[in-house]
Amino acid sequence: MAFTPNQIKSFQKLDYPTDLYQFGRAAQGVDGGFGKVATGHIQHFRDHGYLIVNDAFDNNEIQQGKKGIRNLVGQKYPDFSGIQIEPRFIKQQEKLTVDERIQSTRKVFNFLQTEPLLKDLFYAPKLLKVVSKLLDDTPVHLQDMALLKPANFGAEKPWHQDCAYFNFPLDVTVVGVWIALDEAKSENGCMHIIPGSHKKPKIHFKKRDWQICDTDIDRKNDFFVPLKPGGVLFFHGLIHHGTPSNQSDQSRWALQFHYRPQNACEISNDDRLSIFGSQGKDADC
Ligand SMILES: O=C(O)CCC(=O)C(=O)O
């Protein structure tokens, strides 16, 4: 799929405020892989809502993740339907070649029972060991996704709290694990977080997505999270986080897994929406 420079320019027009994501401060991580995670790091997660571990997965595991995603997007499994194309390509999606599909896919989801290469990463014992400590319980599968931000136009994921999408009481810790398969940096839409923002729920509104109001984001405390391939961000289900659009010519592939504690009880959709808001159609944000 070849685009003219003018097309690329039009794709890159922002539909959100230019200062919604700040690029002045990078969050720091623990080097040397999961084996280096100590008690103090678990406490850091509890206090600040996140923990970064560099060098967590090696090159073979990164290639395994990418191969698994390519298998799914390349239709190795004809019955698999968990693929979301970038909105601007949806009308053409039946005509896309495999390479074009790979370049225009934004999200792949619910693949654990289909693609064993990704299932093995989800249940990697070295990863589960850390997740168990963060949850203080046995981790149970909640959600599996691959988030691909294609070069030049990969869309923004506005600021939100993941627990606004999950039916758990507020005292249940949900852990998100974001694994960089490509280098994630400020130019290609890496993760942004607001440390310490995981202590209470925020009302979500239907705007560009179901999200926290742009005006309700504590922008001065935004840290971006650069990661080399194989680096991991653990994040609390209530931390404010989002990713700006990909303005660069480098794609940004990541896996995002969510785990819940084995002993968590669930709440109803209505109870969740009474905490996080419903539509916000009259909201001024
Ligand atoms: O990787 C991304 O672009 C954003 C992922 C995210 O925050 C989410 O899907 O909850």
PDB file of all heavy atoms in Angstrom, residues 200-218:
ATOM      1  N   LYS A 200      -8.108   6.198  42.388  1.00  0.00           N
ATOM      2  CA  LYS A 200      -9.583   6.317  42.337  1.00  0.00           C
ATOM      3  C   LYS A 200     -10.109   6.329  40.903  1.00  0.00           C
ATOM      4  O   LYS A 200      -9.381   6.680  39.969  1.00  0.00           O
ATOM      5  CB  LYS A 200     -10.067   7.524  43.127  1.00  0.00           C
ATOM      6  CG  LYS A 200      -9.489   8.840  42.753  1.00  0.00           C
ATOM      7  CD  LYS A 200     -10.150   9.914  43.617  1.00  0.00           C
ATOM      8  CE  LYS A 200      -9.784  11.255  43.072  1.00  0.00           C
ATOM      9  NZ  LYS A 200      -9.123  12.195  43.682  1.00  0.00           N
ATOM     10  N   PRO A 201     -11.395   5.961  40.768  1.00  0.00           N
ATOM     11  CA  PRO A 201     -11.970   5.895  39.409  1.00  0.00           C
ATOM     12  C   PRO A 201     -12.325   7.282  38.888  1.00  0.00           C
ATOM     13  O   PRO A 201     -12.584   8.192  39.667  1.00  0.00           O
ATOM     14  CB  PRO A 201     -13.249   5.093  39.634  1.00  0.00           C
ATOM     15  CG  PRO A 201     -13.628   5.351  41.060  1.00  0.00           C
ATOM     16  CD  PRO A 201     -12.356   5.556  41.812  1.00  0.00           C
ATOM     17  N   LYS A 202     -12.316   7.425  37.587  1.00  0.00           N
ATOM     18  CA  LYS A 202     -12.695   8.676  36.921  1.00  0.00           C
ATOM     19  C   LYS A 202     -13.898   8.402  36.037  1.00  0.00           C
ATOM     20  O   LYS A 202     -13.994   7.325  35.419  1.00  0.00           O
ATOM     21  CB  LYS A 202     -11.563   9.106  35.983  1.00  0.00           C
ATOM     22  CG  LYS A 202     -10.456   9.850  36.664  1.00  0.00           C
ATOM     23  CD  LYS A 202     -10.767  11.331  36.665  1.00  0.00           C
ATOM     24  CE  LYS A 202      -9.601  12.131  37.215  1.00  0.00           C
ATOM     25  NZ  LYS A 202     -10.018  13.493  37.565  1.00  0.00           N
ATOM     26  N   ILE A 203     -14.743   9.383  35.884  1.00  0.00           N
ATOM     27  CA  ILE A 203     -15.859   9.253  34.954  1.00  0.00           C
ATOM     28  C   ILE A 203     -15.302   9.186  33.529  1.00  0.00           C
ATOM     29  O   ILE A 203     -14.390   9.939  33.182  1.00  0.00           O
ATOM     30  CB  ILE A 203     -16.808  10.468  35.087  1.00  0.00           C
ATOM     31  CG1 ILE A 203     -17.399  10.545  36.487  1.00  0.00           C
ATOM     32  CG2 ILE A 203     -17.916  10.418  34.039  1.00  0.00           C
ATOM     33  CD1 ILE A 203     -18.343   9.425  36.839  1.00  0.00           C
ATOM     34  N   HIS A 204     -15.836   8.276  32.739  1.00  0.00           N
ATOM     35  CA  HIS A 204     -15.455   8.154  31.322  1.00  0.00           C
ATOM     36  C   HIS A 204     -16.587   8.684  30.443  1.00  0.00           C
ATOM     37  O   HIS A 204     -17.763   8.546  30.792  1.00  0.00           O
ATOM     38  CB  HIS A 204     -15.144   6.694  30.965  1.00  0.00           C
ATOM     39  CG  HIS A 204     -13.791   6.246  31.463  1.00  0.00           C
ATOM     40  ND1 HIS A 204     -13.421   6.343  32.778  1.00  0.00           N
ATOM     41  CD2 HIS A 204     -12.718   5.735  30.799  1.00  0.00           C
ATOM     42  CE1 HIS A 204     -12.176   5.896  32.911  1.00  0.00           C
ATOM     43  NE2 HIS A 204     -11.727   5.518  31.722  1.00  0.00           N
ATOM     44  N   PHE A 205     -16.222   9.278  29.337  1.00  0.00           N
ATOM     45  CA  PHE A 205     -17.195   9.858  28.412  1.00  0.00           C
ATOM     46  C   PHE A 205     -16.988   9.281  27.026  1.00  0.00           C
ATOM     47  O   PHE A 205     -15.850   8.954  26.649  1.00  0.00           O
ATOM     48  CB  PHE A 205     -17.014  11.383  28.327  1.00  0.00           C
ATOM     49  CG  PHE A 205     -17.275  12.079  29.629  1.00  0.00           C
ATOM     50  CD1 PHE A 205     -16.228  12.447  30.453  1.00  0.00           C
ATOM     51  CD2 PHE A 205     -18.572  12.364  30.016  1.00  0.00           C
ATOM     52  CE1 PHE A 205     -16.467  13.084  31.659  1.00  0.00           C
ATOM     53  CE2 PHE A 205     -18.817  12.996  31.216  1.00  0.00           C
ATOM     54  CZ  PHE A 205     -17.769  13.362  32.045  1.00  0.00           C
ATOM     55  N   LYS A 206     -18.067   9.220  26.270  1.00  0.00           N
ATOM     56  CA  LYS A 206     -17.935   8.763  24.890  1.00  0.00           C
ATOM     57  C   LYS A 206     -17.524   9.953  24.034  1.00  0.00           C
ATOM     58  O   LYS A 206     -18.319  10.878  23.812  1.00  0.00           O
ATOM     59  CB  LYS A 206     -19.269   8.193  24.415  1.00  0.00           C
ATOM     60  CG  LYS A 206     -19.096   7.347  23.223  1.00  0.00           C
ATOM     61  CD  LYS A 206     -20.224   6.371  23.071  1.00  0.00           C
ATOM     62  CE  LYS A 206     -19.812   5.440  21.947  1.00  0.00           C
ATOM     63  NZ  LYS A 206     -20.630   4.320  21.786  1.00  0.00           N
ATOM     64  N   LYS A 207     -16.268   9.975  23.618  1.00  0.00           N
ATOM     65  CA  LYS A 207     -15.796  11.079  22.780  1.00  0.00           C
ATOM     66  C   LYS A 207     -15.114  10.475  21.564  1.00  0.00           C
ATOM     67  O   LYS A 207     -15.744   9.903  20.716  1.00  0.00           O
ATOM     68  CB  LYS A 207     -14.855  11.945  23.613  1.00  0.00           C
ATOM     69  CG  LYS A 207     -15.288  13.409  23.638  1.00  0.00           C
ATOM     70  CD  LYS A 207     -14.162  14.332  23.995  1.00  0.00           C
ATOM     71  CE  LYS A 207     -14.288  15.621  23.223  1.00  0.00           C
ATOM     72  NZ  LYS A 207     -13.037  16.350  23.199  1.00  0.00           N
ATOM     73  N   ARG A 208     -13.773  10.508  21.512  1.00  0.00           N
ATOM     74  CA  ARG A 208     -13.109   9.786  20.408  1.00  0.00           C
ATOM     75  C   ARG A 208     -13.178   8.285  20.658  1.00  0.00           C
ATOM     76  O   ARG A 208     -13.010   7.478  19.745  1.00  0.00           O
ATOM     77  CB  ARG A 208     -11.645  10.247  20.270  1.00  0.00           C
ATOM     78  CG  ARG A 208     -11.493  11.711  19.911  1.00  0.00           C
ATOM     79  CD  ARG A 208     -10.041  12.105  19.708  1.00  0.00           C
ATOM     80  NE  ARG A 208      -9.193  11.953  20.870  1.00  0.00           N
ATOM     81  CZ  ARG A 208      -9.212  12.722  21.955  1.00  0.00           C
ATOM     82  NH1 ARG A 208     -10.064  13.735  22.027  1.00  0.00           N
ATOM     83  NH2 ARG A 208      -8.400  12.519  22.971  1.00  0.00           N
ATOM     84  N   ASP A 209     -13.373   7.933  21.936  1.00  0.00           N
ATOM     85  CA  ASP A 209     -13.456   6.551  22.394  1.00  0.00           C
ATOM     86  C   ASP A 209     -14.210   6.654  23.714  1.00  0.00           C
ATOM     87  O   ASP A 209     -14.628   7.746  24.079  1.00  0.00           O
ATOM     88  CB  ASP A 209     -12.019   6.026  22.610  1.00  0.00           C
ATOM     89  CG  ASP A 209     -11.937   4.517  22.652  1.00  0.00           C
ATOM     90  OD1 ASP A 209     -12.994   3.864  22.735  1.00  0.00           O
ATOM     91  OD2 ASP A 209     -10.821   3.990  22.626  1.00  0.00           O
ATOM     92  N   TRP A 210     -14.345   5.579  24.465  1.00  0.00           N
ATOM     93  CA  TRP A 210     -14.879   5.733  25.817  1.00  0.00           C
ATOM     94  C   TRP A 210     -13.682   6.042  26.692  1.00  0.00           C
ATOM     95  O   TRP A 210     -12.815   5.200  26.906  1.00  0.00           O
ATOM     96  CB  TRP A 210     -15.617   4.467  26.252  1.00  0.00           C
ATOM     97  CG  TRP A 210     -16.529   4.775  27.387  1.00  0.00           C
ATOM     98  CD1 TRP A 210     -17.416   5.813  27.448  1.00  0.00           C
ATOM     99  CD2 TRP A 210     -16.628   4.085  28.611  1.00  0.00           C
ATOM    100  NE1 TRP A 210     -18.061   5.804  28.652  1.00  0.00           N
ATOM    101  CE2 TRP A 210     -17.600   4.751  29.379  1.00  0.00           C
ATOM    102  CE3 TRP A 210     -15.997   2.972  29.147  1.00  0.00           C
ATOM    103  CZ2 TRP A 210     -17.954   4.339  30.658  1.00  0.00           C
ATOM    104  CZ3 TRP A 210     -16.352   2.562  30.410  1.00  0.00           C
ATOM    105  CH2 TRP A 210     -17.329   3.231  31.154  1.00  0.00           C
ATOM    106  N   GLN A 211     -13.580   7.268  27.194  1.00  0.00           N
ATOM    107  CA  GLN A 211     -12.308   7.794  27.683  1.00  0.00           C
ATOM    108  C   GLN A 211     -12.507   8.808  28.806  1.00  0.00           C
ATOM    109  O   GLN A 211     -13.613   9.295  29.020  1.00  0.00           O
ATOM    110  CB  GLN A 211     -11.607   8.509  26.517  1.00  0.00           C
ATOM    111  CG  GLN A 211     -12.451   9.696  26.010  1.00  0.00           C
ATOM    112  CD  GLN A 211     -11.764  10.531  24.955  1.00  0.00           C
ATOM    113  OE1 GLN A 211     -11.981  10.322  23.757  1.00  0.00           O
ATOM    114  NE2 GLN A 211     -10.942  11.479  25.400  1.00  0.00           N
ATOM    115  N   ILE A 212     -11.405   9.147  29.457  1.00  0.00           N
ATOM    116  CA  ILE A 212     -11.432  10.270  30.408  1.00  0.00           C
ATOM    117  C   ILE A 212     -11.421  11.552  29.570  1.00  0.00           C
ATOM    118  O   ILE A 212     -10.770  11.612  28.522  1.00  0.00           O
ATOM    119  CB  ILE A 212     -10.199  10.221  31.337  1.00  0.00           C
ATOM    120  CG1 ILE A 212     -10.129   8.867  32.074  1.00  0.00           C
ATOM    121  CG2 ILE A 212     -10.216  11.382  32.316  1.00  0.00           C
ATOM    122  CD1 ILE A 212      -8.860   8.653  32.892  1.00  0.00           C
ATOM    123  N   CYS A 213     -12.145  12.552  30.054  1.00  0.00           N
ATOM    124  CA  CYS A 213     -12.170  13.857  29.372  1.00  0.00           C
ATOM    125  C   CYS A 213     -10.750  14.390  29.154  1.00  0.00           C
ATOM    126  O   CYS A 213      -9.942  14.328  30.084  1.00  0.00           O
ATOM    127  CB  CYS A 213     -12.829  14.854  30.313  1.00  0.00           C
ATOM    128  SG  CYS A 213     -14.334  15.504  29.743  1.00  0.00           S
ATOM    129  N   ASP A 214     -10.466  14.928  27.983  1.00  0.00           N
ATOM    130  CA  ASP A 214      -9.132  15.514  27.745  1.00  0.00           C
ATOM    131  C   ASP A 214      -8.821  16.590  28.789  1.00  0.00           C
ATOM    132  O   ASP A 214      -7.679  16.758  29.204  1.00  0.00           O
ATOM    133  CB  ASP A 214      -9.075  16.166  26.352  1.00  0.00           C
ATOM    134  CG  ASP A 214      -9.231  15.144  25.235  1.00  0.00           C
ATOM    135  OD1 ASP A 214      -8.985  13.956  25.481  1.00  0.00           O
ATOM    136  OD2 ASP A 214      -9.613  15.552  24.121  1.00  0.00           O
ATOM    137  N   THR A 215      -9.868  17.317  29.224  1.00  0.00           N
ATOM    138  CA  THR A 215      -9.652  18.416  30.179  1.00  0.00           C
ATOM    139  C   THR A 215      -9.466  17.910  31.605  1.00  0.00           C
ATOM    140  O   THR A 215      -9.184  18.685  32.506  1.00  0.00           O
ATOM    141  CB  THR A 215     -10.859  19.375  30.157  1.00  0.00           C
ATOM    142  OG1 THR A 215     -12.036  18.585  30.311  1.00  0.00           O
ATOM    143  CG2 THR A 215     -10.925  20.145  28.848  1.00  0.00           C
ATOM    144  N   ASP A 216      -9.652  16.621  31.810  1.00  0.00           N
ATOM    145  CA  ASP A 216      -9.583  16.054  33.155  1.00  0.00           C
ATOM    146  C   ASP A 216      -8.259  15.298  33.363  1.00  0.00           C
ATOM    147  O   ASP A 216      -8.107  14.555  34.322  1.00  0.00           O
ATOM    148  CB  ASP A 216     -10.773  15.087  33.308  1.00  0.00           C
ATOM    149  CG  ASP A 216     -11.289  15.047  34.725  1.00  0.00           C
ATOM    150  OD1 ASP A 216     -10.789  15.833  35.550  1.00  0.00           O
ATOM    151  OD2 ASP A 216     -12.173  14.208  35.001  1.00  0.00           O
ATOM    152  N   ILE A 217      -7.347  15.462  32.433  1.00  0.00           N
ATOM    153  CA  ILE A 217      -6.057  14.753  32.502  1.00  0.00           C
ATOM    154  C   ILE A 217      -5.000  15.672  33.118  1.00  0.00           C
ATOM    155  O   ILE A 217      -4.858  16.818  32.710  1.00  0.00           O
ATOM    156  CB  ILE A 217      -5.632  14.300  31.078  1.00  0.00           C
ATOM    157  CG1 ILE A 217      -6.572  13.199  30.570  1.00  0.00           C
ATOM    158  CG2 ILE A 217      -4.188  13.810  31.041  1.00  0.00           C
ATOM    159  CD1 ILE A 217      -6.591  11.942  31.408  1.00  0.00           C
ATOM    160  N   ASP A 218      -4.286  15.126  34.082  1.00  0.00           N
ATOM    161  CA  ASP A 218      -3.252  15.875  34.798  1.00  0.00           C
ATOM    162  C   ASP A 218      -1.978  15.888  33.931  1.00  0.00           C
ATOM    163  O   ASP A 218      -0.997  15.206  34.213  1.00  0.00           O
ATOM    164  CB  ASP A 218      -3.021  15.150  36.138  1.00  0.00           C
ATOM    165  CG  ASP A 218      -2.006  15.851  37.001  1.00  0.00           C
ATOM    166  OD1 ASP A 218      -1.622  16.991  36.673  1.00  0.00           O
ATOM    167  OD2 ASP A 218      -1.588  15.232  38.007  1.00  0.00           O
TER     168      ASP A 218
END
